[in-house]
Amino acid sequence: MSIFSPIKPAKRARVGIYSIGLKAYWNQFSGLKERLVEYGRFIETRMSEFAEVYNYGLVDEESEGRKAGEWFNEKNVDIIFCHAATYSTSSTVLPVHLICKAPLVVLNLQPTERINYEITTTGEWLAHCCACPVPEISNALNRSGIEFRVINGLLGMNNTPTISLTNETTSERKEAIRAWKQIEEWTRAASVPRTLRHSRFGFLGNTYSGMLDMYSDFTMLQAQTGIHIEVLEMCDLDRLLKEVTPSDVKEKLEEVYKMFKISGESSSDPIAKRPTEEQLALSCKVAAAQEKLVREYNLDALTYYYHGAPGSDYEKLQSGSIVGHSLLTASGIPCSGEGDLKTAVAMKICDILGTGGSFSEIVVVDYEDETILLGHDGPFHIAISDGKPLLRGMGLYHGKQGNGVSVEAKVRTGPVTTLNVTQTEDGKLKLIISEGESTDGPIMRIGNTQTPVKFRLHPDAYMEKWFMEAPTHHCALSIGHNATLFQKVGQLMNIRQVTL
């Protein structure tokens, strides 16, 4: 199995769409109804690239709105897009959303950048007056206590319909590109709550003693994210370790040599050495057991930590876990260390959205480069690595029991975004989002993952703002500038979000 083939792919969002109009128009203006329906089909086709789309069609009176609301409930949609195709009374729209409570986005997408003023007819104008009903709809929704968002811009078609009296080929215009970026982000974001509601998170061992920021109420996490938390024991993993065959170990070892480089001795740190054959064999054996654990318990993510008594079997078992958890993370099963369940959620959100999500914390500040190194001594997301990660043998794990093989790597250079899931004093989750740039700056040779990140603020100013938001001290490091995407996830999940 390739580590870049997800063990369990994310679920696609189920997206509802309907177009609105005024029934009185159809007999007055020949071809208008059919034209508007085709605009709706165009939107459906484009959305289908990144979502599972259910297009009800045209809603042109209040009774049809009721039917549409029931239909969307039957389809179990995660989000609804109301396409304001032409003028429609707000009484047509409101019943849809009184019946179906899925989040709503209104699309004000004009087909043309400019009407042909000299020859435009009333029917032609009505095909382009998408903005006309939006204020009325907004007022009705607001007074009914229904939250909504509006996307304004151009429809972005690649051709002009024969019936049109003006240009409708607008796919390259900035107003269309901007609008479709927002549409894609809303549909991608809607896949997160759907996937989380069907996700099983393993909690193996315990949380690192004394790390108070990471302690969480399992029921609270399930209530606010929809995840199920499966409490696992080290004896579960130990049992599966005993089932690992020599061929399983050989297969994992081949995978390791394919995906990693093996280090020599560190020139700077005496505890960072070339991994021994015994350490590599143990890491591969544990990795095979970890994959068996994921499959047996049908896990979608895992958080883990176990101190282990000195010299015990469980200490030895946990010391071989980093390589296997890195492989699982790259395979769509994010693994967070030190029992940090909230960061496992952050990593899973990043993974669902296809942006990576590597387990990180502040390592050190480089005031010369004005960067902050982010990383950890735990699992790394190989799929977003800058080249092949390096495996180092560690004479000891600092602050922990045991020794073994660790991953030394950094995230590829370019735009990155950190996502932190923290918990506030009222027991509510909060997202803290920060965009920056991963640089090609130097890192230490001590067997830890480290990525130099230049945030938009000076390190001191950034840290002051971040610390005052009371974060969990770990975060997920994702590739790309994803702030608006993560903000939409927070809105859909009713989780407060802050962008620094």
Side-chain angles (χ1 to χ4, degrees):
M1 180 197 67
S2 167
I3 64 168
F4 300 108
S5 299
I7 291 176
K8 294 179 68 177
K11 294 181 179 293
R12 299 185 97 200
R14 297 171 67 92
V15 172
I17 179 175
Y18 69 103
S19 302
I20 58 171
L22 190 65
K23 196 170 188 178
Y25 290 156
W26 312 146
N27 291 329
Q28 295 176 330
F29 304 101
S30 177
L32 178 61
K33 179 180 180 181
E34 292 75 17
R35 183 176 181 176
L36 302 183
V37 167
E38 284 305 308
Y39 291 152
R41 288 187 182 135
F42 166 77
I43 296 172
E44 175 190 357
T45 300
R46 281 209 59 177
M47 283 184 177
S48 296
E49 297 172 14
F50 31 79
E52 192 175 315
V53 183
Y54 297 88
N55 184 0
Y56 181 82
L58 195 61
V59 175
D60 55 6
E61 58 182 346
E62 53 85 18
S63 60
E64 200 66 37
R66 292 194 187 97
K67 293 178 185 175
E70 297 288 1
W71 189 78
F72 287 132
N73 277 337
E74 291 173 5
K75 301 303 180 184
N76 191 24
V77 297
D78 302 300
I79 191 169
I80 297 177
F81 290 87
C82 169
H83 168 221
T86 187
Y87 175 74
S88 174
T89 62
S90 51
S91 64
T92 297
V93 174
L94 188 58
V96 179
H97 306 286
L98 289 174
I99 292 171
C100 183
K101 304 300 183 182
L104 165 64
V105 178
V106 178
L107 298 179
N108 170 28
L109 301 179
Q110 188 170 291
T112 184
E113 74 274 23
R114 193 180 198 188
I115 61 171
N116 189 331
Y117 291 100
E118 297 299 320
I119 63 173
T120 288
T121 63
T122 301
E124 174 77 2
W125 160 61
L126 289 174
H128 296 106
C129 72
C130 312
C132 297
V134 179
E136 179 183 334
I137 293 168
S138 301
N139 180 276
L141 292 169
N142 178 265
R143 291 166 65 185
S144 303
I146 297 172
E147 290 190 10
F148 65 97
R149 290 89 181 172
V150 180
I151 296 176
N152 304 295
L154 289 172
L155 187 55
M157 294 200 300
N158 293 313
N159 64 288
T160 297
T162 305
I163 194 174
S164 179
L165 301 179
T166 188
N167 173 61
E168 296 188 18
T169 303
T170 60
S171 60
E172 300 300 319
R173 284 192 63 101
K174 62 182 180 181
E175 298 88 351
I177 294 170
R178 182 176 61 241
W180 276 99
K181 180 177 184 292
Q182 291 185 68
I183 292 170
E184 180 177 353
E185 284 189 345
W186 278 115
T187 55
R188 289 175 64 197
S191 70
V192 173
R194 167 164 288 276
T195 303
L196 289 179
R197 287 194 300 268
H198 293 83
S199 291
R200 292 168 55 85
F201 278 53
F203 188 88
L204 175 61
N206 48 56
T207 303
Y208 192 110
S209 180
M211 291 184 176
L212 303 181
D213 58 320
M214 298 195 308
Y215 296 173
S216 292
D217 176 348
F218 288 2
T219 305
M220 176 276 293
L221 280 165
Q222 181 162 347
Q224 294 182 46
T225 67
I227 65 171
H228 167 76
I229 299 165
E230 187 73 11
V231 179
L232 304 170
E233 300 291 345
M234 288 295 287
C235 54
D236 294 317
L237 184 58
D238 188 52
R239 168 177 54 84
L240 293 169
L241 187 74
K242 292 178 172 63
E243 298 177 6
V244 173
T245 65
S247 66
D248 292 333
V249 175
K250 181 182 177 184
E251 183 179 331
K252 281 296 175 189
L253 191 59
E254 290 172 355
E255 197 173 330
V256 163
Y257 279 119
K258 179 181 178 182
M259 299 303 168
F260 295 95
K261 293 190 294 184
I262 308 301
S263 77
E265 306 289 313
S266 172
S267 59
S268 59
D269 193 341
I271 68 170
K273 300 178 179 296
R274 179 180 176 84
T276 66
E277 290 185 8
E278 292 78 10
Q279 287 175 325
L280 284 173
L282 175 63
S283 290
C284 290
K285 186 174 183 180
V286 173
Q290 289 162 334
E291 185 172 327
K292 289 178 183 293
L293 185 79
V294 163
R295 294 186 184 280
E296 178 169 319
Y297 289 94
N298 194 25
L299 301 180
D300 299 274
L302 176 67
T303 189
Y304 68 96
Y305 176 71
Y306 196 82
H307 198 69
S312 69
D313 289 342
Y314 287 176
E315 180 206 50
K316 185 178 179 182
L317 178 55
Q318 66 84 27
S319 70
S321 64
I322 292 176
V323 173
H325 283 150
S326 295
L327 294 174
L328 286 172
T329 297
S331 301
I333 311 293
C335 299
S336 64
E338 297 178 352
D340 187 352
L341 192 53
K342 294 190 291 296
T343 299
V345 172
M347 293 168 68
K348 187 63 181 178
I349 290 171
C350 295
D351 184 79
I352 293 167
L353 296 171
T355 62
S358 201
F359 188 61
S360 298
E361 66 182 4
I362 291 179
V363 175
V364 72
V365 178
D366 186 324
Y367 283 102
E368 288 288 335
D369 290 348
E370 295 190 351
T371 58
I372 300 175
L373 266 70
L374 299 177
H376 210 274
D377 64 352
F380 178 73
H381 201 311
I382 306 165
I384 59 173
S385 174
D386 183 15
K388 276 190 175 184
L390 194 69
L391 293 186
R392 283 200 187 276
M394 303 303 297
L396 60 85
Y397 292 131
H398 66 274
K400 302 178 175 73
Q401 294 281 112
N403 62 81
V405 179
S406 189
V407 177
E408 184 176 289
K410 61 181 179 179
V411 171
R412 68 182 68 136
T413 57
V416 293
T417 308
T418 61
L419 179 63
N420 178 276
V421 177
T422 191
Q423 183 177 339
T424 58
E425 64 178 342
D426 59 358
K428 299 293 186 181
L429 296 177
K430 180 174 76 171
L431 308 182
I432 308 175
I433 304 160
S434 306
E435 290 185 339
E437 299 289 327
S438 169
T439 76
D440 61 356
I443 64 172
M444 296 175 282
R445 306 301 179 185
I446 61 172
N448 284 15
T449 69
Q450 301 152 70
T451 300
V453 177
K454 193 176 188 69
F455 291 102
R456 293 173 178 177
L457 299 172
H458 183 277
D460 287 346
Y462 171 75
M463 288 189 294
E464 181 177 357
K465 287 183 175 291
W466 195 59
F467 297 160
M468 292 309 295
E469 293 297 336
T472 302
H473 76 271
H474 299 134
C475 64
L477 181 58
S478 69
I479 56 171
H481 281 162
N482 306 312
T484 57
L485 184 56
F486 293 155
Q487 288 162 7
K488 290 177 175 65
V489 170
Q491 291 176 51
L492 291 176
M493 295 180 67
N494 295 314
I495 296 176
R496 180 187 164 203
Q497 71 277 168
V498 176
T499 302
L500 304 181

